[in-house]
């Protein structure tokens, strides 16, 4: 296919208008061997899941589950946008992921745990053993920790099998889990625990990362203090020890509050707990994610709709069969791990690999050694990981004898040349690739090619997955047609079973954030009047494939995960010397985007600049976590501001990314822009470069 340079869209002038320039990429057909064995090989699927059969089409996903009571209504849309799926149905998520597989698969590995130290033995946990362990933990949570259906519990754990075991034990009881990514700080955990009203925290004492045993329990102390400061008392902290019987933390155990799980479990050996029959609509978990303003939002996901959607998309888009060895290299602490390491794969009786470590330790061959050793055939990771592995070991994959039939990329746009390396080197041209676009809020995939049915196109996610009807709307809510060459806001016209139910404790914010912008009639009970606003800019090509440009709000996608710039700015402002702070995205070769921090100091500050910078970095790491570590902290005499005093983050973003700052004549202090530009970009001519779309439009929606 021709690779002509097609400039599309207008540029620059109108801030709210999103524009884009790039060439069309060539197509790749799914490998024949893949097609022959694929779960989804019927081209009539598009029609089956088409609008004429909506919402009934989704019964196919619900039928992949075992229900104690069948639903009477597929979709209840009487209270938009609080969609209710499979109403009247009763099920238990743990039962669906564990118990029901025992008859056929009890001796098959459910989880394979790969510890980071390569000399340590890999541990396979069969479905039978998963059943035993989940039951014992459920008994402990109920009888020792006093948890019951509807209670929330916050889990701050690394990638060890005890994490999914704890999640499944919660699900067995109907306890709502809120897993906080292990790399977040104790403070971040405490805030989330308080927001969710958790009385119990579950931790691990330690874990391996890049060759070091990290003290994790230490964070629980800060989490408890933070939660209490926010008015949430923590009654118990349960601590899994990475090595049962051996405590690897410098932090003391607080009597009457902290308990070792391996000790508490002694009372519950061999215990079995009946799975609680939960309503389809009962919340299964909360997952906090960053938003445009204010504190992180607790996305509440349901039991029936969520699991049906995770299972259905795992079968059709991930092509998971019970015989597959499936490895998703994400962290369970993010939505990807919830849907596509734990719930989706286990609902389908697959073998799901859990890797404790980082991909490039001790070297960039590690993932491929794991793939070879376990004979992994489905591999799932992020563009960030692919970029890192490509840079650190471009020839490593060749050295190992593994064969993937299927690979996934998720979390951020993938550059076509990175995609091609993934395809030819990692996938050895034998594997189909799906580029899956979705979000914490959406529970499962929204756009992707159907792996056996649609050709792949590097850099494009693809059409809506079955049952998802995406559309691109401009600021006036007008649809931008396919092939128009103009980008806009990607929205989903219809509800689907995986969509979050609400923001925990703040239903109004849920409506405001995702539906208000494009709701056609707030009185309407017709789902057609309630498109879901995803917050991403995108472009729709003539072939019906969506290309995602990135966030349209002031959220930064770091290594495939969203960080709220407002949260980082608030952290900076707690440093005594800082008067003003602005955080902007800067392009990073490996992580995609990183936060860059601009600060103005309070007058009369005598602290040396280096010290202030260190304090800012340290504060961000303690309040949010290392994931938010800024690429650079820049001290400036003043911020570029509008006449009404608003900091122009877009201008700073342009400077940080060596882009043209555009028209700045309307600013209150245009001179400062030149000062900052010279300090950052150096003397020399003004940059004329056009930057990536998300940077260009950064901060234009507020
Ligand atoms: C944001 C959601 C989806 C689970 C992991 C991240 C960006 C996600 C893609 C993709 C381009 C993508 C979007 C989205 N994003 N997948 N395939 N191509 N961009 O979940 O932290 O909720 O972030 O990640 O900007 O809105 P999340």
């Amino acid at each position: 296919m021709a690779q002509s340079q097609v400039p599309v869209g207008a540029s620059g002038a109108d801030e709210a208008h999103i524009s884009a320039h790039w060439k069309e990429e060539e197509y790749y057909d799914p490998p024949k061997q893949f097609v022959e064995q694929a779960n989804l090989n019927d081209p009539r699927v598009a029609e089956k899941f088409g609008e004429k059969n909506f919402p009934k089409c989704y019964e196919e996903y619900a039928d992949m589950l075992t229900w104690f009571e069948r639903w009477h209504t597929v979709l209840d849309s009487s209270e938009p946008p609080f969609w209710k799926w499979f109403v009247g149905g009763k099920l238990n998520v743990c039962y669906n992921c564990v118990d029901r597989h025992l008859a056929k698969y009890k001796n098959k590995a459910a989880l394979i745990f790969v510890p980071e130290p390569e000399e340590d033995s890999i541990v396979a946990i069969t479905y039978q053993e998963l059943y035993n362990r989940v039951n014992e933990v459920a008994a402990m949570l109920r009888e020792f920790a006093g948890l019951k259906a509807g209670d929330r519990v916050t889990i701050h754990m690394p990638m060890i099998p005890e994490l999914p075991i704890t999640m499944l034990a919660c699900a067995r009881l109907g306890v709502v889990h809120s897993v906080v990514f292990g790399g977040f700080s104790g403070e971040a955990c405490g805030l989330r625990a308080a927001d969710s009203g958790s009385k119990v925290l579950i931790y691990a004492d330690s874990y391996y990362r890049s060759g070091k045993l990290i003290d994790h329990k230490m964070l629980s102390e800060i989490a408890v203090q933070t939660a209490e400061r926010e008015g949430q008392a923590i009654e118990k902290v349960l601590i899994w020890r990475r090595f049962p019987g051996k405590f690897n933390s410098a932090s003391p155990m607080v009597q009457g509050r902290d308990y070792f799980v391996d000790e508490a479990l002694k009372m519950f050996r061999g215990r079995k707990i009946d799975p609680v029959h939960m309503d389809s609509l009962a919340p299964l978990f909360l997952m906090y994610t960053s938003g445009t303003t204010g504190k992180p939002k607790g996305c509440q996901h349901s039991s029936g709709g969520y699991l049906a959607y995770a299972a259905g998309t795992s079968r059709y888009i991930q092509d998971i069969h019970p015989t597959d060895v499936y490895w998703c290299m994400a962290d369970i602490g993010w939505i990807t791990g919830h849907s596509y390491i734990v719930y989706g794969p286990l609902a389908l009786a697959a073998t799901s690999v859990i890797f404790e470590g980082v991909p490039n330790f001790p070297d960039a061959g590690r993932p491929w050694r794991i793939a070879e050793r376990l004979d992994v055939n489905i591999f799932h990771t992020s563009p960030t990981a692919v970029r890192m592995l490509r840079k650190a070991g471009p020839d490593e994959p060749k050295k190992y004898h593994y064969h993937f039939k299927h690979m996934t990329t998720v979390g951020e746009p993938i550059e076509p040349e990175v995609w091609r390396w993934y395809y030819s080197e990692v996938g050895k041209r034998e594997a189909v690739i799906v580029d899956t676009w979705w979000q914490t809020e959406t529970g499962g995939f929204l756009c992707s090619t159907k792996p056996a049915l649609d050709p792949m196109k590097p850099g494009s996610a693809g059409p809506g997955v079955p049952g998802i009807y995406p559309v691109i709307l401009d600021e006036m809510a007008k649809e931008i047609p396919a092939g128009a060459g103009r980008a806009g806001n990607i929205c989903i016209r219809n509800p689907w079973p995986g969509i979050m139910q609400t923001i925990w404790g703040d239903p109004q914010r849920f409506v405001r954030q995702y539906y208000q912008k494009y709701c056609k009639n707030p009185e309407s009970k017709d789902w057609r009047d309630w498109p879901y606003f995803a917050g991403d800019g995108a472009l729709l090509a003539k072939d019906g494939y969506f290309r995602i440009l990135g966030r349209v709000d002031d959220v930064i996608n770091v290594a495939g995960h969203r960080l709220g710039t407002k949260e980082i700015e608030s952290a900076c402002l707690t440093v005594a010397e800082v008067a003003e702070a602005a955080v902007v995205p800067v392009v990073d070769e490996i992580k995609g985007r990183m936060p860059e921090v601009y600060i103005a100091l309070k007058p009369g500050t005598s602290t040396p600049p280096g010290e202030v910078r260190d304090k800012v970095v340290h504060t961000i790491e303690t309040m949010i976590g290392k994931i938010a570590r800024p690429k650079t902290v820049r001290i400036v005499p003043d911020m570029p501001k509008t006449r009404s005093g608003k900091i122009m983050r877009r201008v700073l973003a342009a400077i940080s990314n060596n882009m043209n700052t555009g028209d700045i004549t309307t600013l209150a202090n245009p001179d400062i822009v030149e000062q900052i530009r010279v300090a950052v970009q150096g003397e020399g001519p003004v940059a004329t470069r056009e930057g990536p779309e998300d940077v260009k439009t950064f901060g234009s929606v507020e």
Side-chain angles (χ1 to χ4, degrees):
M1 177 160 286
Q3 299 203 354
S4 58
Q5 195 76 26
V6 191
V8 280
S11 66
D14 173 7
E15 222 179 86
H17 183 88
I18 309 167
S19 59
H21 297 262
W22 66 66
K23 59 178 198 217
E24 271 291 314
E25 303 294 334
E26 71 286 12
Y27 292 107
Y28 293 74
D29 284 328
K32 190 161 153 279
Q33 262 164 305
F34 175 81
V35 174
E36 278 162 7
Q37 59 81 63
N39 282 329
L40 183 58
N41 51 15
D42 182 353
R44 283 169 308 182
V45 62
E47 199 196 313
K48 253 178 33 193
F49 280 83
E51 228 171 308
K52 271 217 304 284
N53 297 322
F54 181 87
K56 214 175 145 42
C57 53
Y58 277 122
E59 287 195 310
E60 187 169 330
Y61 286 3
D63 282 333
M64 293 178 191
L65 308 181
T66 305
W67 296 78
F68 297 129
E69 268 171 58
R70 201 177 164 85
W71 59 92
H72 53 70
T73 306
V74 179
L75 169 64
D76 171 352
S77 53
S78 60
E79 205 196 332
F82 302 94
W83 317 112
K84 300 177 184 75
W85 285 90
F86 312 120
V87 187
K90 292 223 183 314
L91 81 167
N92 182 278
V93 168
C94 175
Y95 178 88
N96 272 280
C97 292
V98 184
D99 306 40
R100 68 167 177 156
H101 302 319
L102 297 180
K104 252 169 107 179
Y105 300 115
K106 66 169 178 250
N107 249 334
K108 189 190 114 93
L111 302 172
I112 299 183
F113 172 54
V114 182
E116 190 187 80
E118 219 159 347
E119 59 283 7
D120 286 7
S121 301
I122 288 174
V123 181
I125 300 174
T126 60
Y127 273 97
Q128 175 71 25
E129 183 55 10
L130 182 61
Y131 173 74
N132 294 330
R133 295 195 60 186
V134 164
N135 269 284
E136 289 166 354
V137 175
M140 191 263 309
L141 292 179
R142 189 173 75 181
E143 284 159 36
F144 180 73
L147 294 167
K148 56 178 190 320
D151 290 349
R152 281 81 54 210
V153 57
T154 295
I155 304 175
H156 194 195
M157 286 177 69
M159 284 289 282
I160 55 177
E162 287 75 12
L163 172 53
I165 287 170
T166 306
M167 291 160 65
L168 290 163
C170 288
R172 196 166 189 84
L173 300 174
V175 170
V176 181
H177 59 69
S178 170
V179 178
V180 175
F181 169 54
F184 275 136
S185 66
E187 183 148 349
C189 174
L191 287 176
R192 287 159 174 76
D195 188 80
S196 65
S198 298
K199 296 180 300 218
V200 174
L201 299 184
I202 306 182
Y203 264 82
D205 70 332
S206 61
Y207 62 100
Y208 284 102
R209 194 182 159 84
S210 301
K212 284 197 294 271
L213 192 64
I214 309 278
D215 185 341
H216 189 66
K217 197 273 172 187
M218 224 162 63
L219 305 185
S220 71
E221 212 50 57
I222 304 158
V224 171
Q225 280 168 24
T226 307
E228 293 190 340
R229 193 185 70 216
E230 297 283 309
Q232 177 64 47
I234 301 297
E235 291 166 8
K236 282 195 170 67
V237 182
L238 306 178
I239 294 149
W240 286 98
R241 286 187 282 194
R242 173 73 175 73
F243 301 98
K246 266 198 261 155
F247 186 37
N248 282 304
S249 169
S251 154
M253 293 290 282
V254 174
Q255 240 213 316
R257 187 196 74 191
D258 297 354
Y259 300 91
F260 291 129
V261 174
D262 54 297
E263 279 174 6
L265 276 177
K266 285 184 187 150
M267 294 182 270
F268 302 99
R269 296 219 50 92
R271 280 286 298 279
K272 298 289 178 279
I273 295 284
D274 285 339
V276 179
H277 293 209
M278 299 300 294
D279 204 282
S280 173
L281 302 173
L284 175 63
F285 67 85
L286 306 179
M287 165 71 55
Y288 282 83
T289 190
S290 296
T292 310
T293 50
K295 56 181 189 183
K297 305 171 282 202
C299 298
Q300 178 186 318
H301 283 284
S302 71
S303 301
Y306 169 80
L307 191 67
Y309 200 68
T313 50
S314 292
R315 172 169 296 174
Y316 287 163
I317 306 298
Q318 295 296 96
D319 197 54
I320 293 177
H321 301 61
T323 44
D324 290 325
V325 180
Y326 169 88
W327 181 19
C328 170
M329 213 166 58
D331 194 290
I332 292 174
W334 305 111
I335 192 71
T336 303
H338 275 46
S339 300
Y340 300 112
I341 298 179
V342 182
Y343 289 118
L346 294 184
L348 300 181
T351 297
S352 188
V353 176
I354 295 177
F355 175 44
E356 179 179 37
V358 297
N360 57 349
F361 182 84
D363 57 75
R366 185 75 202 274
W368 323 129
R369 287 198 290 282
I370 293 171
E372 179 183 275
R373 187 174 175 101
L374 301 180
D375 202 12
V376 170
N377 66 340
I378 307 182
F379 183 67
H380 186 155
T381 193
S382 63
T384 293
V386 179
R387 284 185 214 111
M388 185 221 277
L389 292 165
R390 176 178 180 240
K391 187 163 183 224
D395 300 318
E396 287 300 308
K398 276 195 197 49
K399 302 182 188 159
Y400 300 96
H401 301 279
Y402 63 82
H403 295 279
F404 295 151
K405 68 165 185 179
H406 181 293
M407 304 195 301
T408 301
T409 149
V410 64
E412 29 167 351
I414 187 163
E415 299 78 3
E417 80 266 20
V418 176
W419 189 98
R420 285 186 201 102
W421 182 79
Y422 193 39
Y423 177 75
S424 57
E425 299 306 310
V426 177
K428 306 177 179 185
R429 301 179 176 275
E430 300 167 331
V432 75
I433 298 182
V434 292
D435 180 344
T436 57
W437 170 72
W438 60 298
Q439 310 175 299
T440 304
E441 291 86 340
T442 73
F445 305 144
L446 294 177
C447 283
S448 164
T449 47
K450 295 174 278 304
L453 295 171
D454 303 329
M456 306 165 245
K457 188 163 84 172
S460 291
V465 297
I468 298 290
Y469 321 134
V471 62
I472 297 190
L473 300 178
D474 69 12
E475 288 299 315
M476 311 308 294
K478 231 180 119 235
E479 183 170 341
I480 301 179
R486 268 182 306 130
N489 294 309
I490 185 165
C491 296
I492 310 299
R493 288 197 290 113
N494 61 308
W496 64 97
I499 179 68
M500 69 191 281
Q501 297 177 294
T502 186
I503 294 176
W504 179 260
D506 201 347
Q508 286 319 311
R509 190 174 172 202
F510 171 68
V511 180
R512 249 191 347 263
Q513 179 86 44
Y514 305 104
Y515 292 97
Q516 187 164 294
K517 188 174 173 79
Y518 288 122
C519 177
K520 295 173 199 160
N521 170 11
E523 302 303 315
S524 170
K525 308 256 181 260
D526 185 343
W527 59 261
R528 289 167 194 82
D529 291 324
W530 293 86
Y532 168 81
F533 169 68
D536 278 331
L539 199 100
L540 175 57
K542 271 205 291 294
D543 57 12
Y545 282 30
F546 290 89
R547 181 156 182 164
I548 308 298
L549 307 174
R551 302 293 306 172
V552 296
D553 51 19
D554 49 3
V555 164
I556 304 182
N557 186 328
V558 181
H561 297 290
R562 279 147 60 183
L563 292 178
T565 49
K566 294 270 156 55
E567 285 165 70
I568 305 176
E569 287 169 4
S570 311
C572 297
L573 291 172
T574 67
V575 174
E577 291 84 351
V578 174
E580 284 181 305
V583 172
V584 300
V586 62
V587 174
D588 179 82
E589 201 191 329
I590 302 295
K591 294 186 177 173
R593 303 287 178 272
M594 279 183 83
E596 182 144 294
V597 174
Y598 285 84
I599 49 174
L601 302 183
K602 286 182 186 153
T605 301
S606 56
T607 320
E611 219 170 282
V612 179
R613 277 195 287 266
D614 289 348
K615 267 172 122 172
V616 167
V617 171
H618 179 76
T619 304
I620 293 171
E621 286 186 358
T622 22
M623 291 186 72
I624 303 170
K626 286 213 162 62
I627 187 167
R629 193 192 174 96
K631 188 158 180 157
T632 322
V633 178
R634 301 187 185 280
I635 300 177
V636 294
D638 194 6
M639 299 287 175
K641 286 188 190 131
T642 59
R643 295 216 172 103
S644 58
K646 204 180 105 184
I647 300 178
M648 287 303 286
R649 292 173 178 77
R650 180 180 57 78
V651 172
L652 295 172
I655 294 175
S656 285
N657 290 283
N658 266 311
M659 290 154 53
N660 192 319
T661 50
D663 182 11
I664 51 163
T665 51
T666 57
L667 294 189
N669 52 353
D671 296 350
I672 202 73
V673 175
E674 185 56 14
Q675 268 187 55
I676 299 174
R677 191 192 69 77
V678 171
V680 174
Q681 300 179 348
E683 304 280 350
V686 176
T688 51
R689 222 170 70 98
E690 289 260 358
E693 303 311 315
D694 59 318
V695 175
K696 264 198 317 212
T697 54
F698 179 73
S700 51
V701 177
E702 264 175 67

